[in-house]
Amino acid sequence: MTTPVNVTVTGAAGQIGYALLFRIASGAMLGPDTPVRLRLLEIPQAVRAAEGTAMELDDCAFPLLAGIDIHDEPAAGFAGTNIALLVGARPRGPGMERADLLEANGGIFGPQGKAINDGAADDVRVLVVGNPANTNALIAAAHAPDVPAARFTAMTRLDHNRALSQVSAKAGVPVADIRRLAIWGNHSATQYPDLFHAEVGGSPGGALTADAGWLTEDFIPTVAKRGAAIIDARGASSAASAANAAIDHTRDWVLGTPEGDWTSAGVVSKGEYGVPEGLVCSFPVTSSGGEWQVVEGLEIDDFSRERIDASVAELSAERDAVRELGLV
Ligand code: NAD
Ligand code: LMR
């Protein structure tokens, strides 16, 4: 039997964890021929709940599930891990300012980055889901100087999938026939979902952008504020769709993106499209050989430029705030 891939999931007893673990164990993330060993990392108060989830995983008798370990301490949770899905984060509480949130999460993602640095497998790949995802990824990467920065990513695949769904509904075209959408910037309300390079049912996506009212008053805000709309409707933040996006992101990272298409991911900028080096920013990306590549050479008009710049400015401000707090 092939050696199992070690997958660590933090926040394993949370909502997203519950929607994610069973799909990983079923083979949806790494394919039907790759066994997985799950490491569930939680805080001590939630270990009991994680044990319950592990009992349910056992009860599924997944043929690909080679084992489950539960940890409440990062060094053990990340020892030898190949894929780290950092889902657990501190939610914003009443009266908490953004800086308080950044500081609280610095206390989580700094030590986790260090534990990944010290003990993870040489090929470790990290996806940060917990919010604020881009800046949490920046903090984790800053604490892992021996791990290539390109191995730290933040999730904007949910935003990408939301954009696909909105375009599909507007154009009456199946999602499978929509290609080359892109999410730029931060996983926040400033993100910019870009249709200008898309192909929708074999036609240029630019045709949809001609409907300026729909583009600026419907499509862009619907995608960018979808997280808040879900919280409003469900009374809790998106979970199954977030887990699905984490599966999509990791699968494409490891197994590659389809020929002729791209997707979106928060990756460490090397200065592409004028985004300051080192920021974890969402770009259009392809993956091959287990590495993301930013799609280069796209023409960015003034409409897109203004929106990309606004979201990148927010990322820079978040980086400045965590620098001031001594977290990076
Ligand atoms: P949740 O509150 O249901 O679960 C979070 C879990 O994390 C809890 O079980 C908690 O005990 C655990 N946790 C907290 N600190 C931890 C630590 N230091 N180590 C390990 N575990 C820890 O939340 P959820 O709905 O599962 O969401 C998790 C995060 O994902 C939130 O930050 C949410 O905002 C974010 N999110 C991101 C996206 C995205 O697209 N990037 C989408 C949806 C949600
Ligand atoms: C989402 O996009 O659904 C979440 O990031 C929203 C949130 O604030 O948890």
Side-chain angles (χ1 to χ4, degrees):
M1 192 175 177
T2 328
T3 313
V5 173
N6 293 320
V7 180
T8 300
V9 177
T10 75
Q15 290 199 90
I16 295 175
Y18 196 73
L20 181 59
L21 291 163
F22 297 85
R23 294 194 59 202
I24 298 171
S26 76
M29 187 169 85
L30 298 175
D33 301 320
T34 305
V36 291
R37 183 181 299 278
L38 287 172
R39 299 257 167 80
L40 318 189
L41 180 60
E42 260 295 350
I43 52 174
Q45 308 86 290
V47 161
R48 184 81 189 117
E51 285 169 355
T53 303
M55 288 161 69
E56 282 204 74
L57 282 160
D58 284 339
D59 294 348
C60 292
F62 287 117
L64 291 172
L65 184 54
I68 311 169
D69 308 304
I70 301 173
H71 302 279
D72 62 5
E73 190 266 308
F78 292 115
T81 209
N82 308 102
I83 295 177
L85 304 178
L86 308 190
V87 178
R90 173 82 189 273
R92 195 199 290 248
M96 251 174 125
E97 298 298 331
R98 198 168 179 84
D100 300 330
L101 186 70
L102 290 170
E103 189 165 21
N105 280 302
I108 295 175
F109 289 86
Q112 290 186 354
K114 184 174 183 320
I116 288 168
N117 189 67
D118 295 349
D122 287 346
D123 68 348
V124 68
R125 288 181 172 75
V126 183
L127 170 63
V128 177
V129 174
N131 280 320
N134 300 54
T135 298
N136 288 339
L138 185 83
I139 294 169
H143 287 77
D146 304 329
V147 178
R151 302 283 189 72
F152 285 85
T153 62
M155 192 166 93
T156 56
R157 184 60 171 264
L158 177 54
D159 310 294
H160 183 96
N161 289 344
R162 287 167 172 165
L164 279 174
S165 164
Q166 292 300 317
V167 169
S168 168
K170 167 75 176 169
V173 164
V175 287
D177 294 341
I178 303 168
R179 303 196 301 170
R180 301 200 287 271
L181 279 174
I183 304 293
W184 299 85
N186 201 1
H187 172 68
S188 77
T190 67
Q191 68 177 266
Y192 172 52
D194 181 358
L195 274 185
F196 284 89
H197 310 283
E199 191 186 286
V200 180
S203 306
L208 286 176
T209 66
D211 184 347
W214 175 77
L215 181 67
T216 58
E217 276 147 50
D218 191 343
F219 174 68
I220 294 173
T222 298
V223 174
K225 296 181 188 164
R226 187 69 161 185
I230 304 277
I231 291 171
D232 192 42
R234 227 171 74 81
S237 68
S238 59
S241 56
N244 179 66
I247 297 274
D248 285 352
H249 175 112
T250 309
R251 184 198 59 227
D252 285 357
W253 195 357
V254 173
L255 303 176
T257 41
E259 193 64 37
D261 199 2
W262 66 55
T263 184
S264 304
V267 298
V268 177
S269 171
K270 298 194 192 89
E272 297 95 338
Y273 296 97
V275 175
E277 216 179 312
L279 289 182
V280 178
C281 180
S282 186
F283 290 103
V285 288
T286 57
S287 159
S288 63
E291 288 182 20
W292 292 115
Q293 291 91 30
V294 172
V295 177
E296 300 222 53
L298 298 176
E299 248 180 64
I300 308 293
D301 68 7
D302 291 347
F303 179 91
S304 296
R305 186 78 256 171
E306 190 187 319
R307 286 163 175 78
I308 294 170
D309 287 351
S311 196
V312 169
E314 185 184 48
L315 285 173
S316 295
E318 287 184 12
R319 177 170 67 176
D320 292 348
V322 293
R323 262 192 190 147
E324 263 176 45
L325 292 164
L327 298 172
V328 296

